[in-house]
Structure formats: structure tokens, C-alpha cells
């Protein structure tokens, strides 16, 4: 009974610790760069050429849903015209959804370039 009460604070403490280390380390790195006389524009340089996050999300979501639809269609054809059985549905759906996400990753890289 007591172990359930300990698990939740430990999880929150671990999450807090990760964020604390991330932000404190980032702050120390930035302060060291400023002390050396580095320009402050280096902190935002990487964010200027990236595509907006909503474009990336819409692109990946659209390709994921198209992959799921295509996977359902191909699985239906395989189920009706072969003797593979109903096990073909999840395999085909996950495979084509993965292909869709892979193409989304490739297209996102192209969005960032141009």
C-alpha cells in the first residue's frame, strides 16, 4: 500500500530533475558564451530557417492518415484474394503508416531547406 504513494512523487521528481538539468545547463552554456563575447544571435540562428510547426504537424498527420487508409485498402484486397487471414490487417496498416511517416520525415526536411 505504501509503495503506490511513493511511486507518483518519484515520477514527478524525475521529470522535474530532467527539466532542471536541461535548463540550468543551457543557462550555464549561454552565460559562458556571453562572457567570451559571443553574439547573442547564435541562440536563435537555428530557428530562422525552420518551417512552422503547424505545417510539419499537418504534413505528418496527413501522410499518416493516408498511410492508414492505404493500409486498410491493401489489407482488404489481401484478405479477400489470398489465404492470409485476418492477421494481414494490423501488419499492413502499421507498415503503410510507417511508410507514410517516413515520407513525412523526408518531406519535412525539404520544407526546412526551402
Amino acid at each position: 500500500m505504501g509503495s503506490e504513494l511513493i511511486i507518483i512523487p518519484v515520477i514527478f521528481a524525475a521529470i522535474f530533475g530532467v527539466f532542471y538539468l536541461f535548463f540550468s545547463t543551457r543557462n550555464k552554456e549561454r552565460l559562458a558564451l556571453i562572457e567570451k563575447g559571443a553574439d547573442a544571435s547564435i541562440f536563435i540562428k537555428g530557428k530562422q530557417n525552420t518551417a512552422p510547426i503547424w505545417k510539419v504537424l499537418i504534413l505528418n498527420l496527413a501522410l499518416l492518415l493516408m498511410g492508414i487508409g492505404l493500409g486498410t485498402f491493401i489489407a482488404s484486397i489481401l484478405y479477400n484474394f489470398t489465404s492470409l487471414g485476418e492477421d494481414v490487417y494490423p501488419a499492413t496498416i502499421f507498415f503503410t503508416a510507417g511508410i507514410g511517416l517516413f515520407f513525412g520525415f523526408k518531406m519535412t526536411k525539404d520544407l526546412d531547406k526551402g
Side-chain angles (χ1 to χ4, degrees), residues 50-57 111-112:
T50 58
I53 190 69
W54 64 270
K55 286 184 181 180
V56 174
L57 288 175
L111 271 177
D112 288 340

Side-chain angles (χ1 to χ4, degrees), residues 60 63-71 90-106:
N60 284 319
L63 288 169
L64 174 67
L65 293 176
M66 287 191 304
I68 290 172
L70 181 67
T92 309
I93 290 171
F94 285 129
F95 181 71
T96 54
I99 290 173
L101 287 175
F102 177 73
F103 282 120
F105 173 74
K106 292 291 189 184

Side-chain angles (χ1 to χ4, degrees), residues 18-34:
V18 168
F19 281 107
Y20 176 76
L21 284 175
F22 173 74
F23 287 117
S24 66
T25 305
R26 186 176 73 168
N27 187 30
K28 288 177 186 176
E29 289 174 349
R30 290 182 176 186
L31 286 174
L33 286 172
I34 290 171

Side-chain angles (χ1 to χ4, degrees), residues 34-94:
I34 290 171
E35 285 177 1
K36 290 182 179 180
D39 188 21
S41 66
I42 64 170
F43 299 129
I44 58 171
K45 183 185 286 186
K47 297 181 183 180
Q48 291 175 349
N49 296 331
T50 58
I53 190 69
W54 64 270
K55 286 184 181 180
V56 174
L57 288 175
I58 289 175
L59 176 67
N60 284 319
L61 183 64
L63 288 169
L64 174 67
L65 293 176
M66 287 191 304
I68 290 172
L70 181 67
T72 306
F73 178 69
I74 292 172
S76 175
I77 290 173
L78 289 174
Y79 177 71
N80 289 327
F81 294 112
T82 64
S83 61
L84 294 174
E86 286 190 15
D87 292 337
V88 74
Y89 279 99
T92 309
I93 290 171
F94 285 129

Side-chain angles (χ1 to χ4, degrees), residues 1-10:
M1 170 108 183
S3 64
E4 294 93 10
L5 297 175
I6 295 174
I7 291 175
I8 293 175
V10 167

